[in-house]
Amino acid sequence: MTDSAERIPTVMGALRSPRMLKTEVLAGLVVALALIPEAIAFSIIAGVDPRVGLFASFTMAVSIAFLGGRPAMISAATGAIALVIAPVAKQYGLDYFIATVILAGVFQVIFGVLGVAKLMRFIPRSVMVGFVNALAILIFTSQFPALIGVPWLVYPLVAVGLLIMFLLPRITSVVPAPLVAIVLLTVATVVFTLNVPDVGDEGELPSSLPALLIPDVPLNLETLSIIAPYALAMAIVGLLESLLTAKLVDDVTDTHSNKTRESWGQGAANVITGFFGGMGGCAMVGQTMINVKASGARTRISTFLAGVFLLILVVGLGDVVALIPMAALAAVMIMVAIGTMDWHSISPKTLRRMPKSETAVMLATVVVTVATHNLAYGVVVGVVTAMVLFARRVAHLTEVIDVAHPNEDTRIYAVKGELFFASSNDLVYQFDYAGDPKNIVIDLSGAHVWDASTVATLDAITTKYEAKGKRAVIVGLDAASAQRHVRLTGQLSGGH
């Protein structure tokens, strides 16, 4: 096998390699176990039966395994989606809730076809670092319900689980450490009849397979007006979280994925999930990190098996799964949080070297995400903060230089820098309208005109000279700037 094949494993390659196949199968099992309590918890947040969240996690994982553009990424019911569409279930009932999920999926397919994924290039690295660090904090804090106000025996169980996951990989990687921790802690709990919270305490597990469900809602504009705003919000939040997770997996595995396919694949998976009575979802960063980072999975097999194992566990082995102590799953997620955090980004050495604006963007992303428990809000605030700070920084890179006086009636100015709404705003005040001679030449060969605001500013400068009975000409524009200037000059009323 070549280095390239090792870096980008395929499904067929995994099927031909017993070692890779074992890794994919065991990773899928670990993820399935971790999905169960989360799916139940998110169902409660959304205000629906636990079956709705569990079936969603099954159908999302299986569907995205075939449709998605990022191999080994896990999609299932998520807290972000639950929060967005919870009001629908509360106010209008389950049928409108399911209809919202289906419409959100349709929106995502449309966004995918329109190439919305290409907007990912506008998300700065500092926002991605903030996204990762905020995610680690949220994964850790989401374990608090399993750690606060519980029997004292929970704490030694969590400690033992963390110790197993820390030490076992140093000895062997034959079996994923999280799976070993879950099995051993479950056996210990049962053998010693320890009275600690378990998965069964989270909610009732389903005893039947998901069935096709057509939501019983009127197909009219009134229904659309009710569900469309929630569906649109769900589509945007789901896509943003999924594409950011895909990019994170790209970085972890040093491979590239098809973000456009991932976009419409998420939509198609949500449509399928809705028609099987699921609450919809998107990529799950925590479970994806368990799959990719903790378990070493790299192909669609692990994603598919995570869904299949989930269904087998909750429907066929529900009584056994119910015995898993929540302490074991909390330990797994704490280890995932530790592994997800970009510790290098918050080291004093890095912070001293990093520009303050980059650190500010990262912190803004982290603070908003943790405060709202919504990764989408944090990323949006981070991107806006980065844009504002970038515009502010670039605005100060523009300068006007008095370069020559060919004769007593002529003065030549050179303008250097990128001219746009922020940087050109003060340009009008940098010329000596009263003291300059009759002929003014403004050389823009060292600058570039980016927008209408700059053209309006240039018009204002020439107008001010004309008011003093002087003539100002603009020279040195590059082709794109000249085209923009010719098209807009004199057409922008109201000065600068």
Side-chain angles (χ1 to χ4, degrees):
M1 185 176 289
T2 65
D3 290 342
S4 176
E6 288 177 357
R7 288 181 63 244
I8 313 176
T10 62
V11 170
M12 291 307 298
L15 291 174
R16 294 192 189 101
S17 168
R19 179 182 60 82
M20 287 177 59
L21 184 59
K22 181 203 68 178
T23 299
E24 298 293 316
V25 171
L26 293 178
L29 179 57
V30 174
V31 171
L33 291 169
L35 280 173
I36 294 170
E38 299 241 341
I40 295 173
F42 297 149
S43 299
I44 294 170
I45 291 172
V48 295
D49 190 277
R51 294 176 180 81
V52 178
L54 290 166
F55 287 159
S57 293
F58 160 68
T59 51
M60 283 295 295
V62 170
S63 299
I64 209 66
F66 293 97
L67 300 171
R70 174 63 261 180
M73 193 166 79
I74 304 296
S75 291
T78 62
I81 297 301
L83 287 169
V84 169
I85 57 176
V88 181
K90 184 177 181 180
Q91 297 177 37
Y92 302 101
L94 183 62
D95 286 304
Y96 279 87
F97 181 86
I98 297 300
T100 303
V101 172
I102 295 171
L103 182 59
V106 172
F107 283 151
Q108 287 179 327
V109 171
I110 294 172
F111 289 154
V113 172
L114 292 176
V116 169
K118 294 177 182 177
L119 296 176
M120 283 294 294
R121 72 184 68 179
F122 296 107
I123 297 181
R125 179 186 177 280
S126 50
V127 174
M128 275 301 300
V129 172
F131 166 78
V132 169
N133 290 343
L135 175 66
I137 294 170
L138 288 179
I139 292 173
F140 179 76
T141 56
S142 66
Q143 306 315 307
F144 286 175
L147 300 173
I148 296 175
V150 293
W152 69 269
L153 283 171
V154 168
Y155 303 111
L157 286 176
V158 171
V160 171
L162 291 172
L163 199 61
I164 291 171
M165 287 182 283
F166 180 74
L167 295 177
L168 187 62
R170 298 169 183 265
I171 302 170
T172 178
S173 59
V174 173
V175 181
L179 181 58
V180 174
I182 291 171
V183 171
L184 290 182
L185 291 182
T186 302
V187 170
T189 302
V190 173
V191 170
F192 297 105
T193 59
L194 302 179
N195 184 23
V196 293
D198 54 33
V199 171
D201 296 328
E202 296 296 300
E204 184 182 355
L205 299 177
S207 57
S208 60
L209 297 174
L212 190 64
L213 171 68
I214 307 297
D216 184 17
V217 297
L219 299 178
N220 53 34
L221 289 176
E222 183 182 357
T223 300
L224 186 64
S225 67
I226 292 171
I227 67 175
Y230 295 102
L232 183 59
M234 173 182 164
I236 293 171
V237 169
L239 271 187
L240 186 56
E241 194 157 339
S242 297
L243 293 175
L244 284 170
T245 304
K247 192 173 187 304
L248 180 59
V249 178
D250 288 353
D251 293 340
V252 170
T253 60
D254 194 23
T255 58
H256 179 68
S257 59
N258 188 333
K259 305 299 188 301
T260 297
R261 176 176 172 180
E262 187 62 47
S263 298
W264 63 255
Q266 288 285 335
N270 271 309
V271 171
I272 294 169
T273 297
F275 279 119
F276 277 93
M279 61 180 279
C282 62
M284 297 191 75
V285 193
Q287 273 67 16
T288 296
M289 288 297 100
I290 290 176
N291 195 45
V292 174
K293 211 166 184 179
S295 303
R298 291 293 183 270
T299 76
R300 300 173 186 274
I301 294 174
S302 57
T303 306
F304 173 75
L305 289 179
V308 172
F309 283 144
L310 172 65
L311 191 66
I312 292 172
L313 288 169
V314 298
V315 175
L317 300 172
D319 292 340
V320 175
V321 172
L323 298 175
I324 298 174
M326 290 302 295
L329 297 174
V332 171
M333 297 308 291
I334 289 171
M335 205 67 186
V336 168
I338 294 171
T340 301
M341 175 69 77
D342 186 346
W343 297 103
H344 175 72
S345 70
I346 59 173
S347 70
K349 186 177 179 180
T350 302
L351 292 174
R352 281 195 300 268
R353 291 181 176 179
M354 194 66 64
K356 289 184 173 59
S357 59
E358 299 284 323
T359 303
V361 170
M362 181 192 73
L363 290 175
T365 305
V366 171
V367 169
V368 174
T369 301
V370 173
T372 63
H373 282 238
N374 191 314
L375 291 165
Y377 290 163
V379 170
V380 170
V381 169
V383 171
V384 171
T385 303
M387 289 171 59
V388 171
L389 292 176
F390 174 75
R392 183 174 178 271
R393 188 165 63 250
V394 174
H396 292 88
L397 297 179
T398 302
E399 59 179 338
V400 177
I401 305 170
D402 182 357
V403 294
H405 300 256
N407 54 62
E408 62 180 14
D409 291 331
T410 305
R411 173 173 286 181
I412 301 176
Y413 287 102
V415 179
K416 296 183 178 181
E418 303 300 315
L419 301 176
F420 64 109
F421 62 90
S423 63
S424 64
N425 199 39
D426 295 331
L427 197 63
V428 71
Y429 304 115
Q430 298 186 41
F431 296 88
D432 186 3
Y433 302 101
D436 279 343
K438 293 181 180 180
N439 299 311
I440 304 300
V441 177
I442 302 174
D443 184 1
L444 295 182
S445 56
H448 184 85
V449 176
W450 285 102
D451 59 6
S453 294
T454 302
V455 176
T457 297
L458 295 175
D459 284 353
I461 292 169
T462 56
T463 300
K464 284 181 178 290
Y465 275 115
E466 288 173 3
K468 300 289 185 181
K470 302 171 183 181
R471 178 174 177 268
V473 294
I474 295 171
V475 300
L477 290 167
D478 59 47
S481 298
Q483 184 181 23
R484 188 171 290 112
H485 186 261
V486 169
R487 187 172 68 249
L488 297 175
T489 188
Q491 306 300 316
L492 305 168
S493 61
H496 70 288

